[in-house]
Amino acid sequence: MAASGRSTTRAAVPGTVVRFLLFLLLWGILIGPAPANLVAGLPAAALACWVSLWLLPPFGQTLSLSALLAVLVRLPGQSLIAGLDVARRALSPAMPLRPGIVAYRTDIPPGLERDAFRALMSLQPGTLPVGEDADGALLIHCLDVDQPVTHQLALEEARFRRGTGKGSHG
Amino acid sequence: MSLAVDLVMVLLILTAAVWTILARDRRDAVIAFIVLGLLLSLVWMRLLAVDVALTEAAVGGGATGLVLLRACARLLPVEADGALPGLRLQVAVGVLCAVVGACLAAVILSPPEPAPSLAPAVAAHMEDVGLKNPVTVVLLAYRALDTLLEKVVLVLGLIGVWALAPDLFWGGRPASLRAAVPSGTLTFLARVLPPIGVLIGIYLVWNGADHPGGTFQGGTVLAAMWLLVMMADLGDPPETRALRLRRLVAVGPALFIAVGLAGFGMADGFLSYPPGYAKPIIVAVEVALALSIAVILGLMVAGPAAKEPDQ
Amino acid sequence: MAEFLFAAAAIVLVLTGLGLARMLWGPSPADRMMAAQLLGTGGGAIAVLVAIAGDMTAVLDIALTLALLAAFAAVALTLGEPGSKRRGGEE
Amino acid sequence: MSLLLDLFTIVAVSGGLFFFLAGTVGLLRFPDTLTRLHALTKADNLGLGLIVLGLLPQCPDIVSALKLVAIWALVQLGGATASQLIAEFARRGGGER
């Protein structure tokens, strides 16, 4: 989360604080603002923070918060387009579907980053990642293989990589 | 309008319940049972029993599916021949189930008029305990003995599960819960969701004192998160002989019993609380119980030891 | 307004309930599981509608629990897998 | 003002109902397992999203409004992962019998 990702140990401290504060915020959302509940909220947020650090160690790389936000802000709009797309196909009497699986080669290395990208893909209109082939290309199930799916995915990938701090230098 | 909603709910529940029985494939039956659990949660919500609805959402949505589908996977090698029980046994089981069902229906359909209720008595004495959720007050103050025995039963159940292990493996690790095929999606979920789940689980426990929620709901959510981590292979099931683990299993019931015994000296008798201190004592017992429930449920799904203990 | 929201909750119940046909038809366990997923999302929608319409914020926690555990049934599906091939040969 | 907010609620919640309808129709009509998964994830997630959006002005306080948004976010995460898990399961042959 921190801007200086060079030294992971130094970056980890503000990252941990940010996580702790986010969990505390979530606690506040769950239970309401009454300060008395902090008795349980502080240890709960600390425990959640510890679990999160164990399962998801601080990244050694820089994240661009603004670019990540740009990806997240697009989600509701994408969700709308995706839903309209499905609704149009489902409700039309002719049911226009040309389903098929497209292989999409991604530069995102396997691991958490790619898994996050796949989760994002599954929320995009008309695409659903269903696995990977032997060469590590993503297999994307599409409602309509005639659409320029790979082009659209490449655009999304570029946006996503700007968020994880790798977009600018490839 | 509300009659129509009730009819729809009854129809859906009956569909799911009948299909659970009729489905030929065991896994199909489990899926129908999961659906039934979700529907029951909605029914409890409709009946304004929010505590029960929460329990059903947590147990039905999280735990039942895991327990039963794991059982399916374990049963397959045992029943590979696929022989159905004989006709006579089938008929006998059917008749017995029908009798039990009819008795239950008779009891439920013929309540005395007006239905007996202790609700006004509970409402009249709420202030003595200092909590605002009547369900928690009943569970941990007026009927504390039932609640205590319920938790002890859980411990006994776990001992029963553990006892299935061959002598050689006693104290060892349960079989891994790892998914048959590793999945990046599962790993992603298991890295992101558990911290949020831990927070929500604790919230359900803490909130249970004054609002719907409580130990069982929170404990189940915590157990589900732990199981998710184990299934994604981010952590192995612990050795069943580990002392720390066994302490966690025992801490809830033990604290409950200790508080109960202390009642002899400090209040009117077993499981009665000293006046003025009911709330903090109940909250402490709830926290310890939630911890124990989470660990016990997780260990029950993990199953008996399947490996020799490490040297 | 509350009337409208309660009616909306009833409609969501009917719509997701219709999805149970998928549980009956299958043909595969994956298809049947979709009925459960649909009911999870629909149940969450029903709970938020009822919570706001009836001014019962406690009901929001039901939606929260359903949402948190939404993926669990699908996760559990992978548990039953080692036997899936054997299963096919059996019938 | 309150009338305008009520109108907003009615429009958004009705939109949500429409997408639940579309999702169910897709789940029942679409020809194969993977295609049906699209209907499930996309239409229903949007349906819930619109209902949450519509309910925001009706919330008694800001905390419950934020809780609604948290519920929506959790459903998005659950939908994104559950659909992939079911898809992987179906593709491995777990779907067929």
Side-chain angles (χ1 to χ4, degrees):
Chain A
M1 297 273 165
S4 67
R6 309 231 176 261
S7 150
T8 38
T9 43
R10 211 192 300 166
V13 175
T16 307
V17 172
V18 168
R19 283 192 204 194
F20 176 77
L21 290 177
L22 281 176
F23 286 123
L24 203 58
L25 177 73
L26 181 57
W27 177 264
I29 291 174
L30 290 176
I31 207 157
N37 291 316
L38 280 181
V39 180
L42 288 173
L47 186 64
C49 190
W50 176 76
V51 171
S52 140
L53 286 173
W54 163 47
L55 294 172
L56 201 69
F59 315 106
Q61 69 194 53
T62 50
L63 295 177
S64 159
L65 277 187
S66 57
L68 269 186
L69 267 182
V71 171
L72 287 181
V73 162
R74 281 169 49 82
L75 264 186
Q78 298 284 7
S79 174
L80 181 66
I81 299 172
L84 281 171
D85 180 54
V86 166
R88 181 176 63 87
R89 294 174 203 274
L91 297 175
S92 137
M95 206 162 56
L97 285 173
R98 282 196 27 81
I101 291 182
V102 171
Y104 174 71
R105 200 154 285 287
T106 171
D107 290 332
I108 300 177
L112 183 73
E113 204 182 334
R114 186 183 283 191
D115 298 334
F117 179 64
R118 282 175 34 163
L120 206 60
M121 282 306 87
S122 69
L123 298 174
Q124 299 292 319
T127 59
L128 178 69
V130 294
E132 297 182 13
D133 68 9
D135 304 332
L138 295 180
L139 297 175
I140 312 278
H141 184 265
C142 309
L143 283 181
D144 190 345
V145 285
D146 293 340
Q147 302 254 315
V149 179
T150 43
H151 175 69
Q152 184 202 334
L153 288 180
L155 286 179
E156 287 303 325
E157 181 176 337
R159 274 198 198 91
F160 179 77
R161 300 211 94 193
R162 271 200 291 282
T164 53
K166 298 238 185 80
S168 47
H169 46 273
Chain B
M1 165 80 183
S2 73
L3 182 69
V5 171
D6 288 342
L7 283 177
V8 168
M9 279 191 164
V10 168
L11 195 68
L12 295 178
I13 292 258
L14 282 180
T15 308
V18 170
W19 184 249
T20 306
I21 298 169
L22 291 184
R24 295 294 301 262
D25 186 292
R26 202 182 293 125
R27 197 166 39 184
D28 291 352
V30 173
I31 293 171
F33 193 69
I34 295 173
V35 168
L36 182 66
L38 291 169
L39 285 168
L40 280 178
S41 170
L42 295 179
V43 169
W44 288 119
M45 187 169 84
R46 166 124 184 91
L47 295 173
L48 297 181
V50 181
D51 287 88
V52 193
L54 262 176
T55 313
E56 192 59 56
V59 176
T64 317
L66 287 180
V67 174
L68 293 177
L69 284 169
R70 175 126 165 122
C72 278
R74 287 184 157 236
L75 276 174
L76 281 169
V78 182
E79 294 184 4
D81 53 65
L84 281 171
L87 184 66
R88 238 183 280 172
L89 184 61
Q90 287 189 39
V91 170
V93 170
V95 167
L96 272 177
C97 288
V99 169
V100 172
C103 292
L104 285 176
V107 169
I108 287 172
L109 290 176
S110 57
E113 201 61 53
S117 172
L118 293 173
V122 171
H125 294 95
M126 285 279 288
E127 282 114 57
D128 302 349
V129 185
L131 307 181
K132 295 199 199 86
N133 180 7
V135 177
T136 305
V137 169
V138 170
L139 286 181
L140 281 142
Y142 301 133
R143 305 298 310 214
L145 190 63
D146 294 350
T147 311
L148 170 64
L149 292 177
E150 251 170 56
K151 307 312 178 225
V152 174
V153 162
L154 271 182
V155 177
L156 292 178
L158 179 65
I159 295 173
V161 169
W162 279 357
L164 294 173
D167 286 353
L168 185 64
F169 295 159
W170 179 256
R173 270 174 218 286
S176 169
L177 280 125
R178 193 182 316 134
V181 186
S183 155
T185 312
L186 183 55
T187 316
F188 175 69
L189 189 68
R191 284 184 189 281
V192 176
L193 200 63
I196 303 170
V198 165
L199 204 66
I200 292 180
I202 297 173
Y203 157 72
L204 288 175
V205 177
W206 178 252
N207 205 31
D210 295 332
H211 304 278
T215 50
F216 213 90
Q217 297 90 327
T220 310
V221 166
L222 292 177
M225 293 303 133
W226 186 30
L227 287 164
L228 181 61
V229 169
M230 289 198 279
M231 280 191 287
D233 207 16
L234 296 169
D236 255 341
E239 287 206 310
T240 51
R241 64 173 178 177
L243 202 58
R244 211 166 47 151
L245 191 77
R246 294 187 171 187
R247 283 200 188 116
L248 284 176
V249 167
V251 63
L255 183 66
F256 209 162
I257 292 172
V259 164
L261 291 177
F264 282 122
M266 298 165 67
D268 306 334
F270 189 62
L271 276 177
S272 63
Y273 307 122
Y277 292 97
K279 180 165 180 176
I281 289 177
I282 287 179
V283 169
V285 169
E286 287 223 287
V287 169
L289 280 179
L291 211 60
S292 290
I293 290 172
V295 174
I296 291 172
L297 288 181
L299 288 172
M300 275 185 170
V301 177
K307 285 173 212 136
E308 278 185 63
D310 302 336
Q311 287 313 308
Chain C
M1 183 46 81
E3 292 283 301
F4 169 75
L5 296 180
F6 278 127
I11 293 172
V12 174
L13 177 71
V14 171
L15 289 175
T16 48
L18 285 175
L20 286 200
R22 213 11 108 194
M23 182 188 81
L24 303 178
W25 297 343
S28 69
D31 288 300
R32 300 181 203 276
M33 188 54 90
M34 281 185 230
Q37 291 290 324
L38 176 67
L39 208 63
T41 319
I46 294 170
V48 291
L49 283 166
V50 169
I52 301 299
D55 201 16
M56 299 178 287
T57 40
V59 174
L60 280 183
D61 290 342
I62 301 175
L64 192 72
T65 310
L66 286 175
L68 178 71
L69 301 177
F72 263 74
V75 172
L77 205 53
T78 58
L79 274 179
E81 232 175 341
S84 58
K85 292 223 174 69
R86 193 193 296 261
R87 188 89 235 161
E90 186 186 302
E91 281 180 36
Chain D
M1 187 58 194
S2 139
L3 190 71
L4 214 60
L5 286 180
D6 280 2
L7 196 68
F8 173 79
T9 300
I10 288 174
V11 170
V13 170
S14 306
L17 293 180
F18 170 76
F19 284 104
F20 267 105
L21 171 73
T24 299
V25 170
L27 185 66
L28 299 186
R29 255 190 106 196
F30 280 172
D32 63 275
T33 307
L34 291 177
T35 315
R36 290 196 275 269
L37 265 173
H38 283 267
L40 179 72
T41 330
K42 275 139 193 160
D44 292 332
N45 274 7
L46 178 58
L48 182 85
L50 284 175
I51 287 178
V52 162
L53 184 70
L55 288 176
L56 288 182
Q58 310 291 333
C59 283
D61 49 57
I62 184 87
V63 172
S64 27
L66 288 173
K67 209 182 222 178
L68 279 180
V69 176
I71 290 168
W72 173 77
L74 275 176
V75 168
Q76 293 287 308
L77 179 65
T81 45
S83 60
Q84 289 188 69
L85 284 168
I86 296 179
E88 289 166 8
F89 176 79
R91 249 179 50 83
R92 279 196 299 268
E96 265 120 63
R97 275 210 290 143

